[in-house]
Amino acid sequence: MHRLFTNSIKNNTMDLGLKNKIIIVTGGARGIGEGIVRVLTAEGAVAVIVGRSSVDNIKLQKEIENAGGQSFSVEAELSDPTACEKAVRAVALHFGRIDGLVNNAGVNDGVGLESGDYEGFMKSLHNNLVHYYLMAHFALPYLKKSGGAIVNISSKTAETGQGNTSAYAAANGGRNALTREWAVELLKYNIRVNAVIVSECYTPQYESWVKTLKNPDEKVREIISKIPLENRMTTAAEIAQAVVFLLSEKSSHTTGQLLHVDGGYVHLDRALANA
């Protein structure tokens, strides 16, 4: 229905000074995470894929390596706090350093106010927010040494609401708040912290949601008709390119920012989409 990548990543690379940098990407095997891994390795970085599926992790790692890139993978169920610590330790032991962290893993799990409960709400926070804190906490000693950067992937739901997704919206509000909080706390270490806010990006997870609807094709057409720039969804590659720029020294004086890569979906007048 839609492609994750609308252009060749290799043809869009520039020297961002990321060669051989060790960058952790949580949820890096699929969707937006995969896009980030592919752009990082095209820029010469070593992308470390951290996620629960060793099969998916290793599959992408082999693809990257077969194409001449550098990658590494760690299996970890990030909703488990001890797994976060072990994942960071595994990366540090293997490479001796960590130069950047992309917190990306999560799922819009539909834990609403009316339909949800305490257990579901707390589980969702662990799936979508708590590991952002833990990964940054455990990676911080290494980022202090390298002067690295952190990028948090967040969602429009924190700003616009969506309905029946209280926990995910709360998690994304927390992601945004932590981005600003960490940017302040880590100024003394020259560690930059930014977030990329995603609106409508067609990923395998998004496709799974669309397929649950009565008229999926019609719903997709309705959504893209409201996206002002080019009436299309954002691609994973476009999200990834913004993330990789924020990780690089090319954005050396940018911190505490919430960057919307969404074709104007959140902030522009929806009437413009059909102008």
Side-chain angles (χ1 to χ4, degrees), residues 187-248:
L187 285 172
K188 59 182 175 283
Y189 303 121
N190 292 323
I191 295 174
R192 297 177 299 102
V193 187
N194 295 285
V196 171
I197 315 299
V198 181
S199 292
E200 304 297 331
C201 180
Y202 206 87
T203 64
Q205 187 181 118
Y206 194 102
E207 184 174 23
S208 295
W209 168 72
V210 167
K211 286 181 177 179
T212 67
L213 305 178
K214 187 175 181 180
N215 297 302
D217 289 345
E218 181 180 332
K219 183 63 176 178
V220 169
R221 286 193 294 270
E222 177 188 345
I223 291 169
I224 65 175
S225 73
K226 294 179 173 66
I227 300 174
L229 185 60
E230 298 180 347
N231 293 132
R232 66 171 178 82
M233 292 194 181
T234 311
T235 67
E238 288 167 327
I239 300 293
Q241 286 155 0
V243 170
V244 173
F245 173 73
L246 290 172
L247 288 167
S248 79

Side-chain angles (χ1 to χ4, degrees), residues 89-208:
R89 188 186 306 129
V91 178
L93 285 173
H94 187 83
F95 293 104
R97 72 179 200 277
I98 296 171
D99 300 299
L101 168 67
V102 181
N103 278 317
N104 164 73
V107 59
N108 191 341
D109 44 20
V111 179
L113 179 61
E114 184 176 11
S115 61
D117 54 33
Y118 171 79
E119 289 77 14
F121 186 82
M122 295 307 295
K123 180 180 179 181
S124 182
L125 291 185
H126 275 277
N127 286 335
N128 291 298
L129 177 62
V130 176
H131 63 80
Y132 273 48
Y133 172 83
L134 292 173
M135 291 297 292
H137 174 72
F138 293 125
L140 183 57
Y142 305 100
L143 294 173
K144 285 164 63 175
K145 291 179 182 178
S146 65
I150 299 172
V151 178
N152 295 321
I153 303 301
S154 189
S155 162
K156 69 179 174 76
T157 56
E159 299 169 88
T160 65
Q162 187 177 56
N164 199 40
T165 187
S166 293
Y168 187 65
N172 282 288
R175 293 171 180 179
N176 294 354
L178 288 178
T179 297
R180 292 261 162 83
E181 168 64 16
W182 295 346
V184 173
E185 182 175 345
L186 303 181
L187 285 172
K188 59 182 175 283
Y189 303 121
N190 292 323
I191 295 174
R192 297 177 299 102
V193 187
N194 295 285
V196 171
I197 315 299
V198 181
S199 292
E200 304 297 331
C201 180
Y202 206 87
T203 64
Q205 187 181 118
Y206 194 102
E207 184 174 23
S208 295

Side-chain angles (χ1 to χ4, degrees), residues 6 9 11 16 20 23 27 52 58 60 62 64-65 69 78 82 92 107 110 112 124 126 155 171 175 185 207 209 249:
T6 59
I9 290 174
N11 291 337
L16 294 176
N20 297 324
I23 312 292
R52 65 166 60 100
I58 293 171
L60 180 57
K62 287 182 177 178
I64 295 297
E65 292 172 348
L78 296 173
T82 60
V107 59
S124 182
H126 275 277
S155 162
R175 293 171 180 179
E185 182 175 345
E207 184 174 23
W209 168 72
E249 285 300 313

Side-chain angles (χ1 to χ4, degrees), residues 13-36:
T13 59
M14 59 183 289
D15 185 6
L16 294 176
L18 290 170
K19 188 173 182 180
N20 297 324
K21 298 288 187 181
I22 312 302
I23 312 292
I24 294 174
V25 183
T26 67
R30 302 186 70 199
I32 290 170
E34 178 187 349
I36 295 166

